[in-house]
Amino acid sequence: MMDDRDELLVSKFFDENKIDVADNGFSRRVTRRLPDRERRLNRIWTAVCLVLGAALAVLFDWLGALVDGVCVLVASVKANPEIADRPYLLWLLLFAVIFLGGYKVLAED
């Protein structure tokens, strides 16, 4: 009962003594400095770098070199009897890389 009365008195006091302060662009400046703007700029920069990297990869035929490297890796895996006899090790490694890569992508957001 006493708490309700105190709350009413405090509410009445603040309603009677309310002071409006001019904003003068303060809210706009604060909004500009929020981290969301930085995140957007970071994503734009990342997209620009990815497009530039893809263009360079096509220009210098890095994709062909990557395919050749993967073919050499597959041939060496087939030639290695420890891995050829136990393909689950290769699958386990592949799933670990996918899982960790996916976790890293999701953790950044």
Side-chain angles (χ1 to χ4, degrees):
M1 179 75 171
M2 190 65 147
D3 290 334
D4 292 336
R5 184 170 175 241
D6 290 341
E7 291 294 325
L8 288 174
L9 287 173
V10 169
S11 176
K12 183 179 175 186
F13 173 79
F14 282 120
D15 287 341
E16 292 172 357
N17 297 305
K18 185 176 183 179
I19 299 174
D20 289 326
V21 179
D23 188 47
N24 295 333
F26 176 77
S27 298
R28 183 174 41 87
R29 289 190 308 269
V30 168
T31 304
R32 283 186 182 169
R33 292 189 174 151
L34 289 176
D36 192 39
R37 182 172 185 263
E38 297 297 324
R39 184 179 297 154
R40 257 194 326 257
L41 291 175
N42 188 13
R43 288 184 180 178
I44 291 170
W45 177 247
T46 301
V48 167
C49 289
L50 283 172
V51 168
L52 183 63
L56 287 173
V58 169
L59 181 67
F60 293 112
D61 194 32
W62 291 341
L63 188 60
L66 180 64
V67 168
D68 291 342
V70 170
C71 288
V72 168
L73 178 67
V74 168
S76 65
V77 165
K78 286 182 179 179
N80 190 344
E82 287 137 6
I83 296 176
D85 292 340
R86 299 183 193 112
Y88 63 87
L89 291 175
L90 191 59
W91 285 108
L92 183 64
L93 177 66
L94 180 66
F95 285 131
V97 168
I98 291 171
F99 176 76
L100 292 175
Y103 176 76
K104 181 170 175 40
V105 168
L106 293 176
E108 288 179 0
D109 288 335

